[in-house]
Amino acid sequence: VRKESVEPGSFWLGRRPPLGSPAPLAGRHETDVAVVGAGIAGACVALGLARAGRRVTLLDAAVPGRGATGRNAGFLLAEGAEGTAEVSRALGRATAAALRETGLRTRAEVAALAAKADVGWRAKGSIRLAGDEAEADDLAETARLVGKPLETMGRDALPAAYRGRGFHAALVDPLDGEVDPLALLSAVLAAARATGRLSEGYGDPVTAVEDGPPAVVRTARAEVRAERAVVTTNAWANELIPGPPAVRPVRAQMLAARVSPLPAWDRPAYANRGADYWRLVGDVAILGGKRLVGGDTEETDDARPAAPVQPALEALLARLVRPARAEVTTRWAGTMGFTPDGVPFAGRAPGRSRTWLLAGCNGHGMGWGAGLAAALVDAMEGRGSLAPCFDPARRAGAGAGTA
Ligand SMILES: Cc1cc2nc3c(=O)[nH]c(=O)nc-3n(C[C@H](O)[C@H](O)[C@H](O)COP(=O)(O)OP(=O)(O)OC[C@H]3O[C@@H](n4cnc5c(N)ncnc54)[C@H](O)[C@@H]3O)c2cc1C
């Protein structure tokens, strides 16, 4: 059973009405696929399966978007905190390529949704700022390995907003961008509802997922029988599918501030190997990271903002915008799902035939979620196969050393 985690509001959750009502299912139901967890991963899986003609039942302990999806920075980056250079070194080129490919597929999926609904998608590009020479070397190596459209910048060529603030170099991906995460989730749910094949049940945690046949998903009040089940509960995946594979909950904290005059942050920015990140949302600056300052206290699914991370975020903001003054308006946190090797799990759950898993995007589920969900649906529908690096049954780091 899901732990009693504390999931208060966020910058995004405070800006729009809830994306569903707490209306739990009761009694016995039959469906083609039961999807457990209505964040970006579960919603995209539900949409893909409904478009493939399946009747889908989507369940969540709360309402959609109360997990990490309603709490993130909305960066849509093709690569994670570790770029192609670092992933290639640690896990092999094939894994690095599969992750980047997932990011490119996400961009395409989001651009298609953005053509029909305002999801806040802005293809402004992204900038990664190196905090030291070793990171600058890695950014240059990523640019060399990937080639176009990536561009590097030396210290003297950095945008004015970042010159003289301790950064050594930068890497720009001009095709990355940003979204409003809840607007995106809302658009995915609307598209799934429009198929006429989506049923929803929100408010009761799922307590068991049995492989069957048939697959059975249970809550305190309902029993959903299905041909297949998909677990997309991210940080809480092991409560329904005991590990291994292990997904560990890790807190990420953010703040929003009014800064006057507004900094010239023209694109989402990542610094210090993705440990720190910031962007503008209209005339509001949002900034997150500094997790390592908190050490073990951030290994939690308690989504409340707390010291020592919050003061460290304020100090970072002050350093980035000085001499401008910043006034913090909102603080929040969310729970990410981390895997042992930093690569998400997507595929059939180990030892099961009808239960599938998509979880553990390691803090990059906006950039990878929609693309990975599309690939998972392809695999479930027999239209394609997932890269082996995503297999939940893999040995952690099994890809290391492959060229
Ligand atoms: C502060 C912060 C900043 C981030 N910034 C970025 C960013 O800029 N770019 C990026 O790409 N990623 C970012 N991320 C990561 C990103 O938010 C996640 O990777 C992504 O949202 C994960 O989506 P998900 O659908 O897998 O999980 P979630 O959104 O966490 O959804 C899981 C759902 O499962 C439900 N659930 C759990 N247990 C049960 C149960 N037993 N029964 C039923 N339902 C259950 C939960 O209620 C929840 O709705 C950030 C994360 C945080 C916290």
Side-chain angles (χ1 to χ4, degrees), residues 2 36-42 59-63 65-69 71-75 204-206 232-234 236 240 252-254 277 334-336 361 363-367:
R2 182 183 178 196
V36 185
I40 194 67
L59 299 153
D60 198 284
V63 294
R66 297 291 309 186
T69 300
R71 296 160 190 284
N72 59 70
F75 285 30
D204 277 348
V206 166
T232 50
T233 53
N234 198 29
W236 302 279
L240 299 172
Q253 302 197 34
M254 297 197 68
Y277 43 93
T335 310
M336 306 180 289
C361 276
H364 300 285
M366 300 316 291

Side-chain angles (χ1 to χ4, degrees), residues 323-366:
R325 293 177 63 84
E327 184 201 340
V328 175
T329 51
T330 318
R331 302 174 192 276
W332 74 100
T335 310
M336 306 180 289
F338 276 32
T339 62
D341 61 4
V343 180
F345 294 128
R348 225 182 281 263
R352 297 187 178 222
S353 346
R354 279 159 290 273
T355 310
W356 296 70
L357 176 66
L358 197 184
C361 276
N362 294 277
H364 300 285
M366 300 316 291

Side-chain angles (χ1 to χ4, degrees), residues 92-252:
R93 282 296 294 281
T95 298
L99 287 171
R100 187 170 170 84
E101 189 53 43
T102 299
L104 300 185
R105 189 159 184 188
T106 300
R107 274 189 202 153
E109 296 281 330
V110 169
L113 287 156
K116 299 196 179 133
D118 182 4
V119 300
W121 165 234
R122 310 275 181 270
K124 295 172 162 179
S126 67
I127 185 164
R128 289 170 189 255
L129 295 150
D132 55 33
E133 284 303 313
E135 189 180 3
D137 289 348
D138 280 342
L139 295 181
E141 177 65 0
T142 292
R144 191 186 69 76
L145 290 170
V146 174
K148 283 196 171 93
L150 302 192
E151 300 156 19
T152 50
M153 290 172 179
R155 190 194 304 251
D156 297 335
L158 294 177
Y162 301 124
R163 256 176 259 153
R165 296 189 194 267
F167 299 115
H168 291 233
L171 175 68
V172 167
D173 185 336
L175 301 181
D176 278 340
E178 64 192 25
V179 291
D180 172 333
L182 278 182
L184 180 64
L185 181 63
S186 172
V188 174
L189 289 169
R193 287 168 186 149
T195 65
R197 286 188 281 274
L198 182 71
S199 309
E200 297 162 86
Y202 302 134
D204 277 348
V206 166
T207 53
V209 176
E210 297 159 11
D211 199 48
V216 181
V217 168
R218 295 185 195 282
T219 69
R221 277 178 264 216
E223 177 183 306
V224 181
R225 294 168 162 257
E227 285 168 15
R228 289 172 293 179
V230 188
V231 173
T232 50
T233 53
N234 198 29
W236 302 279
N238 286 146
E239 291 172 13
L240 299 172
I241 302 181
V247 185
R248 125 181 169 260
V250 176
R251 178 163 64 192

Side-chain angles (χ1 to χ4, degrees), residues 368-393:
W368 290 337
L372 211 46
L376 184 89
V377 169
D378 283 349
M380 291 179 71
E381 292 295 308
R383 298 189 300 222
S385 57
L386 282 149
C389 64
F390 298 123
D391 185 353

